Amino acid sequence: MKVMKTLLSASLFLLLNVHPAFSADDMITPCQPQPTIYQVEWQQMETYAFIHFGLNTFTDQEWGYGDVPLEKFNPTNLDCEQWARTLVLAGMKGVILTAKHHDGFCLWPTKYTDYSIRNTPYLDGKGDIVGQLADACRKYGLKFGLYLSPWDRHQAFYGTALYPDYYLMQMEELLTQYGDLFEIWLDGANGGDGWYGGAKEMRKIDSRTYYNLPRILETISRLQPQAIIFSDGGPGCRWVGNEKGFAGATNWSFLHSERVYPGYERAKELTSGHSDGDAWVPAECDVSIRPGWFYHQKEDDEIKTVDQLVDIYYRSVGHNATMLLNFPVDRTGRIHSADSLRAVTFHQRIQQELGKNLLADKKKATTDDDFETYSILQTGETLELKLPRSTRLNRILLQEYIPFGQRVKTFSVEYHNGKTWQTVDAGEEMTTIGYKRILRFPTVQTRRLRLTILDSRASVLLSEVAAYYAPEVWKE
Ligand code: FUL
């Protein structure tokens, strides 16, 4: 085992836009695929928010048909700063707003359709909620991202050759008028029945070819190179295959790039990724704090509990994915106080559960709380960690140094009970680690832990190991 410090400076990484294939130290075997620096920074955000807001909010719908009169849109007390403050307190590092959902209604005064905020009573048509939220994010230090639904149930020309150009022009407006965006969300729901300018019919498109995806990706990469592009199959990040917020305990940040397309039927594969995939496409777990994505008063009593949110955190961030938690803004234009309270309490509890690393030791690469330093372990190698004294613990956190790829295939964690080594029982497979893996298990008392790499794709760069004691009062 050898302790390493990253050799190349961050500025050089930025210049190259990728991490080097391998460091100057020849002990590190190259291991593809590897993330871009932007994918690493994105994964380090860990938790960020979604906001679903639009005409649907005022009609109690999830998928508006595209025919709702614009007078309906009139939030009386809208305050994007209230959203931003709430999200910061809930530990969110950024927010993605539905600039346009499937109903085609636009929350910014686009030049390209009348079906926008410009023709609503809100601020006498002078409002621009994309701009207001972009400003609030700047003020409160949140990153900003946008959702622009490819499917549009309003436009008469949806399904014709004209629509992909319209979509691209709207995308260009969003990419050029609102500052830096950290993520662009290309939803996978595509085609079906809609208003379509009064035609009121079914329209089917081929989601693999219709939108000219390569042209959209090129435009985003040119205008906002740092933006992570979400779609079912990436390229920046992928859907996790469910809307419950759960990634697999086995979760590879790889996909076969040519296999997955928008609307991919074999969604289950996305929960664990493709272990032999050729592209780095990490999973993002999108989930709503309520049953619906948009606000419905009847769901005021169905907000996820703190226990449920904490569980989602462990099964998303703790399973090598990110957690994208949706807040449905209500008809007044605010995040409902019950949702705020729940989300802030969730964050406090995560901080309490993972607040004090019992292994913390600044002198060792794996326990110094510095992602950039790591130890190298070969397959079969064991790392033993000693606690200062016999201690209770029930959480273990592991991190691979992913700029050089994801390498661990299977591992074991054991604790010494004073007589023998016992395997930690996390109730799930001990397979991949990736950017972050957190194990939850019944409390044990020990002063010795050991981690063994049972199988790996190449030598393992272990960035962090941490152990915690989450107070029993919260035990599941
Ligand atoms: C889905 C959409 O159809 C839902 O309305 C929602 O926006 C969710 C995040 O993605 O595909």
Side-chain angles (χ1 to χ4, degrees):
M1 189 189 72
K2 185 168 172 182
V3 175
M4 287 290 303
K5 185 102 189 166
T6 306
L7 296 170
L8 292 179
S9 69
S11 55
L12 180 58
F13 288 160
L14 272 172
L15 204 72
L16 298 170
N17 182 22
V18 290
H19 284 276
F22 50 92
S23 97
D25 190 294
D26 59 11
M27 279 193 65
I28 303 179
T29 343
C31 197
Q32 300 292 345
Q34 294 180 350
T36 64
I37 185 140
Y38 302 127
Q39 285 173 310
V40 176
E41 286 173 353
W42 166 89
Q43 187 127 19
Q44 287 174 318
M45 291 172 70
E46 300 192 358
T47 55
Y48 44 90
F50 228 164
I51 296 235
H52 276 65
F53 185 60
L55 271 175
N56 292 341
T57 311
F58 298 87
T59 56
D60 228 354
Q61 282 172 305
E62 278 291 310
W63 280 10
Y65 201 56
D67 62 345
V68 173
L70 294 175
E71 303 81 74
K72 289 257 181 204
F73 186 83
N74 195 13
T76 47
N77 202 9
L78 187 133
D79 182 2
C80 290
E81 293 201 7
Q82 184 260 354
W83 308 358
R85 280 193 303 272
T86 304
L87 300 179
V88 167
L89 290 174
M92 303 289 137
K93 300 297 187 305
V95 53
I96 301 174
L97 173 68
T98 51
K100 180 185 87 162
H101 202 255
H102 310 329
D103 66 353
F105 174 68
C106 299
L107 285 178
W108 81 104
T110 169
K111 281 201 292 234
Y112 302 109
T113 180
D114 291 338
Y115 205 55
S116 88
I117 195 163
R118 196 198 294 277
N119 295 311
T120 68
Y122 174 62
L123 298 184
D124 293 327
K126 305 272 179 324
D128 175 356
I129 294 176
V130 176
Q132 289 158 236
L133 185 54
D135 290 345
C137 284
R138 265 188 288 278
K139 179 162 172 186
Y140 289 95
L142 288 167
K143 292 191 181 186
F144 187 44
L146 290 168
Y147 173 119
L148 185 70
S149 170
W151 184 23
D152 189 318
R153 303 173 97 189
H154 175 80
Q155 291 302 341
F157 50 85
Y158 181 81
T160 72
L162 223 57
Y163 180 80
D165 290 345
Y166 167 82
Y167 182 80
L168 191 74
M169 290 189 301
Q170 289 204 318
M171 182 66 89
E172 282 174 352
E173 282 185 329
L174 294 174
L175 296 171
T176 52
Q177 294 176 13
Y178 299 102
D180 283 355
L181 301 171
F182 82 96
E183 184 166 332
I184 304 292
W185 230 78
L186 305 181
D187 187 75
N190 265 306
D193 63 337
W195 185 69
Y196 304 127
K200 298 186 186 168
E201 60 189 14
M202 278 299 272
R203 291 196 183 165
K204 289 230 186 300
I205 50 95
D206 180 349
S207 61
R208 292 185 213 206
T209 53
Y210 178 60
Y211 299 107
N212 193 350
L213 199 59
R215 187 172 63 153
I216 297 171
L217 302 185
E218 183 280 314
T219 304
I220 299 173
S221 308
R222 181 167 39 83
L223 296 174
Q224 298 270 351
Q226 75 294 333
I228 296 302
I229 303 172
F230 166 95
S231 82
D232 288 356
C237 68
R238 70 174 196 265
W239 188 43
V240 75
N242 64 69
E243 291 181 341
K244 295 186 191 137
F246 301 158
T250 303
N251 184 14
W252 293 101
S253 291
F254 316 146
L255 280 188
H256 284 289
S257 49
E258 296 306 315
R259 210 185 280 172
V260 187
Y261 47 85
Y264 190 59
E265 299 85 12
R266 290 153 68 178
K268 268 198 175 153
E269 287 175 14
L270 304 180
T271 309
S272 295
H274 296 143
S275 60
D276 55 350
D278 63 321
W280 186 275
V281 193
E284 175 183 84
C285 298
D286 61 320
V287 60
S288 187
I289 196 163
R290 292 167 177 242
W293 295 99
F294 284 90
Y295 178 80
H296 310 288
Q297 196 179 9
K298 61 178 181 297
E299 293 179 355
D300 280 354
D301 295 330
E302 293 181 73
I303 304 164
K304 289 195 172 53
T305 62
V306 174
D307 277 351
Q308 285 172 317
L309 294 171
V310 167
D311 187 45
I312 287 170
Y313 174 87
Y314 283 113
R315 293 167 79 169
S316 55
V317 176
H319 280 175
N320 186 34
T322 58
M323 174 173 170
L324 171 54
L325 181 63
N326 179 62
F327 295 79
V329 162
D330 70 16
R331 286 188 186 178
T332 67
R334 293 179 166 241
I335 295 178
H336 194 285
S337 57
D339 303 44
S340 307
L341 185 61
R342 215 44 77 76
V344 173
T345 314
F346 147 75
H347 179 53
Q348 287 170 346
R349 211 171 99 185
I350 294 296
Q351 285 177 308
Q352 281 159 338
E353 293 203 0
L354 305 178
K356 185 170 182 284
N357 179 7
L358 303 166
L359 290 167
D361 180 352
K362 285 279 169 217
K363 292 188 291 297
K364 294 200 182 85
T366 50
T367 52
D368 61 355
D369 196 25
D370 180 356
F371 182 65
E372 294 295 325
T373 60
Y374 46 83
S375 296
I376 302 178
L377 297 176
Q378 307 301 330
T379 297
E381 201 170 330
T382 295
L383 176 73
E384 186 168 334
L385 297 132
K386 290 197 177 67
L387 293 140
R389 65 193 69 80
S390 177
T391 314
R392 285 182 301 176
L393 51 97
N394 51 22
R395 302 280 186 273
I396 287 183
L397 179 151
L398 303 164
Q399 290 194 277
E400 279 186 77
Y401 187 68
I402 56 161
F404 293 143
Q406 185 183 350
R407 296 160 177 243
V408 178
K409 287 183 176 177
T410 48
F411 65 95
S412 71
V413 178
E414 295 160 290
Y415 67 99
H416 201 271
N417 67 4
K419 293 193 185 104
T420 55
W421 287 103
Q422 302 283 325
T423 303
V424 155
D425 178 17
E428 57 184 22
E429 66 258 26
M430 311 275 252
T431 44
T432 54
I433 295 178
Y435 167 71
K436 191 169 270 189
R437 179 75 189 268
I438 311 175
L439 308 170
R440 290 177 284 177
F441 49 90
T443 302
V444 302
Q445 173 104 25
T446 189
R447 59 176 309 172
R448 288 166 75 192
L449 288 167
R450 66 183 191 190
L451 164 73
T452 304
I453 306 300
L454 299 173
D455 196 6
S456 60
R457 299 171 65 236
S459 53
V460 170
L461 314 185
L462 190 70
S463 180
E464 289 301 308
V465 183
Y468 304 95
Y469 175 65
E472 295 284 348
V473 64
W474 292 320
K475 228 178 116 206
E476 301 73 18

